[in-house]
Amino acid sequence: MANPQVFCVGTADTKLDELRFLSETVRSSLTAFSNNSCTNVEVVVVDVSAGQRVTESFADFTFVTRNEVLSCYSGSLEQTPTLLPNDRGEAVAIMSKALENFLKKARDEDHVLAGVIGLGGTGGTSMLSSAFRSLPLGMPKLIVSTVASGQTQPYIGTSDLVLFPSIVDICGINSLSRFVLSNAGAAFAGMVIGRLARFQGSSGTSNKKCTVGLTMFGVTTPCVNAVKERLEKEGYETLVFHATGVGGKAMESFVREGYIQGVLDITTSEVADYVVGGVMACDSSRFDVIIEKKIPLVLSVGALDMVCFGPKDTIPSNLLQRQIHVHNDQVSIMRTTVDENKKFAGFIANKLNQSSSKICVCLPQRGVSALDAPGKPFYDPEATDTLLNELDKLIQKNDDRQVKSYPYHINDREFTDALVDSFLEISLKKHTESSPPQSASSDSSQDLQKDCASKTKPVTRDHSP
């Protein structure tokens, strides 16, 4: 098998000097960080120019031309390269899809891909990020970008893509861009070498434990930490997601892909932001994939007493008379009302009533967050009772869809025990029967691992990393 390769991706028609500098930095960093022949990684430059100018070669690097990438647009390298339209937006969209297919082939068919790095402005970041996000978790993926600071969710989504701030525009090599690109290349090379070294020492066996997704906010941390601790003692692996809007989407994307086989959705505050208009909102599809995949679900109402906004001066003026608590300089939260809690209950009940799998809703009667307790700023028994009573009334209960109320606060140890007991009751403990799909240890990664092993002395370990 060929040596592992990393792809340096960019638009050679507009970023030629910058792409060359980045590629040279990655190559020199890989050489400096390597300490054995296993990590002899080849740097391949990939041109994704969206203009009409064509580059045919690139110094002494292995070079993939724009037309070679375009020939993957339809998924076949044998087809005639697609001609790009004059409209830049259309050209970028075609190039991005072609790059995604090109990367998929390198990963799944050629089994050589060990990481991707690129650079770009707004258009380049949009083009590269869509393709880079398609690569599995754990595979190094980094973009030096002019839009790395600010609203990055459209570029990163729920992936582990790293956006590296370019500070200045990507327009030539100067004293500042030289530092930025050098650091980015070194950081990326470190990721690649570290990953290959882990493969070298790995036994290659897959994790057989059942993986459970948990949702958490700062105000439900004691509850989630206790649940996590007990589940791990029971033999489960846990993945905790911050309920910031992106966190819920990330958890559900992993449910969709099979990484997660059970969910304790303890902190459902994203529903409040969605209904009221906060900044950490889910979307209308919240809970859908969990129900569709029919995995065990224990749901609670953590932090539904609050809606999140940015700094206090960003809260809409018509809400400023409401109960506001400044969580920190960047986050302000607003207490939810009786009427809003009725809407939350309706949203959740409507979703759960469509399920045909095992679900248990656990309701803490003495408060749904650290701020919803006697003497705390969001203590409002009427609003909390309305939420719990509406859920109990609206959810259509049967043997597989249960609602249980407990005379505890959400952060009380008795309630966390009730959550875990309910999950164990409805869960088929599958971690000894099936394993989650491979992510960082995808088939191509295992092939890279085998290639490493063939070039170095065997490493004896009594455990997997």
Side-chain angles (χ1 to χ4, degrees):
M1 179 188 142
N3 283 331
Q5 297 177 339
V6 295
F7 294 165
C8 288
V9 188
T11 53
D13 60 340
T14 61
K15 312 291 184 192
L16 183 67
D17 292 340
E18 300 90 328
L19 186 58
R20 180 185 296 112
F21 185 89
L22 180 62
S23 301
E24 291 171 347
T25 296
V26 170
R27 183 163 61 183
S28 62
S29 296
L30 287 169
T31 301
F33 298 161
S34 299
N35 56 14
N36 60 58
S37 59
C38 170
T39 45
N40 182 19
V41 183
E42 181 184 12
V43 177
V44 177
V45 178
V46 179
D47 181 21
V48 290
S49 299
Q52 300 303 318
R53 179 179 167 187
V54 177
T55 303
E56 297 293 348
S57 62
F58 199 90
D60 61 339
F61 289 92
T62 299
F63 183 61
V64 179
T65 67
R66 186 261 305 276
N67 284 347
E68 289 178 279
V69 176
L70 279 174
S71 67
C72 295
Y73 178 67
S74 62
S76 172
L77 280 172
E78 286 73 31
Q79 293 193 0
T80 302
T82 305
L83 294 177
L84 289 174
N86 290 326
D87 182 89
R88 177 168 172 77
E90 294 179 12
V92 166
I94 290 174
M95 201 74 238
S96 181
K97 183 61 178 178
L99 177 61
E100 181 178 338
N101 291 339
F102 174 79
L103 296 178
K104 185 177 188 300
K105 179 182 182 297
R107 183 192 78 214
D108 296 342
E109 298 178 25
D110 300 336
H111 304 301
V112 295
L113 188 58
V116 289
I117 185 171
L119 46 74
T122 55
T125 302
S126 177
M127 180 199 306
L128 300 186
S129 63
S130 178
F132 284 15
R133 287 198 307 269
S134 69
L135 295 172
L137 288 171
M139 178 171 289
K141 51 187 83 71
L142 184 151
I143 301 173
V144 181
S145 171
T146 60
V147 291
S149 177
Q151 178 50 267
T152 59
Q153 181 179 347
Y155 305 105
I156 297 174
T158 59
S159 74
D160 60 347
L161 169 65
V162 176
L163 290 187
F164 201 100
S166 66
I167 311 300
V168 294
D169 202 352
I170 301 174
C171 185
I173 301 301
N174 52 57
S175 58
L176 186 52
S177 65
R178 189 181 302 274
F179 283 124
V180 170
L181 293 176
S182 295
N183 286 341
F188 173 71
M191 296 181 205
V192 172
I193 295 298
R195 183 169 178 261
L196 292 175
R198 288 193 299 275
F199 291 151
Q200 178 186 342
S202 172
S203 65
T205 58
S206 60
N207 183 359
K208 294 293 185 180
K209 291 191 296 184
C210 177
T211 300
V212 181
L214 312 176
T215 49
M216 184 170 77
F217 236 23
V219 292
T220 60
T221 296
C223 172
V224 177
N225 280 344
V227 168
K228 177 179 181 292
E229 179 182 355
R230 187 171 162 205
L231 281 174
E232 290 175 348
K233 288 181 179 178
E234 295 284 345
Y236 291 89
E237 179 183 39
T238 59
L239 301 179
V240 179
F241 297 87
H242 199 185
T244 57
V246 175
K249 292 173 184 175
M251 181 181 73
E252 292 186 338
S253 72
F254 296 151
V255 170
R256 180 178 296 106
E257 296 167 11
Y259 293 100
I260 291 175
Q261 298 87 44
V263 169
L264 275 138
D265 212 341
I266 296 167
T267 310
T268 45
S269 57
E270 294 169 339
V271 171
D273 281 51
Y274 172 70
V275 171
V276 179
V279 299
M280 297 186 182
C282 61
D283 57 31
S284 61
S285 68
R286 188 69 165 91
F287 310 118
D288 287 352
V289 70
I290 301 173
I291 293 168
E292 174 191 335
K293 293 296 184 181
K294 300 182 185 299
I295 63 173
L297 168 64
V298 170
L299 181 143
S300 193
V301 289
L304 278 173
D305 58 331
M306 60 188 64
V307 176
C308 295
F309 295 97
K312 191 172 182 179
D313 60 7
T314 67
I315 299 175
S317 58
N318 64 312
L319 299 176
L320 288 175
Q321 75 281 7
R322 297 273 296 272
Q323 177 67 39
I324 306 293
H325 177 75
V326 177
H327 183 62
N328 56 46
D329 289 345
Q330 303 302 320
V331 178
S332 303
I333 51 181
M334 178 182 74
R335 205 339 169 163
T336 57
T337 66
V338 167
D339 287 341
E340 288 165 352
N341 277 276
K342 289 181 179 179
K343 294 177 181 177
F344 307 157
F347 180 93
I348 293 171
N350 180 60
K351 295 287 187 173
L352 300 189
N353 287 339
Q354 301 174 41
S355 72
S356 59
S357 54
K358 293 186 179 296
I359 289 175
C360 184
V361 179
C362 296
L363 304 176
Q365 295 175 332
R366 295 186 179 173
V368 300
S369 84
L371 297 183
D372 181 23
K376 299 298 182 179
F378 283 2
Y379 184 58
D380 185 344
E382 182 184 7
T384 297
D385 289 348
T386 297
L387 172 65
L388 306 190
N389 292 336
E390 285 291 303
L391 281 168
D392 188 58
K393 179 179 71 174
L394 295 175
I395 294 174
Q396 299 166 7
K397 294 176 276 293
N398 56 39
D399 289 343
D400 289 335
R401 191 185 304 125
Q402 306 172 41
V403 178
K404 300 177 181 179
S405 296
Y406 298 92
Y408 306 118
H409 187 272
I410 194 167
N411 289 327
D412 287 345
R413 185 64 193 226
E414 294 88 347
F415 186 71
T416 64
D417 286 338
L419 288 170
V420 178
D421 289 342
S422 297
F423 181 79
L424 295 177
E425 180 183 337
I426 68 173
S427 174
L428 296 176
K429 203 170 181 183
K430 296 180 180 179
H431 68 275
T432 59
E433 303 170 7
S434 62
S435 59
Q438 296 164 342
S439 54
S441 297
S442 61
D443 291 341
S444 59
S445 300
Q446 290 184 5
D447 285 334
L448 292 179
Q449 176 185 339
K450 292 175 183 177
D451 189 52
C452 289
S454 68
K455 298 179 180 180
T456 58
K457 294 181 179 180
V459 177
T460 302
R461 296 170 66 99
D462 57 5
H463 63 280
S464 298

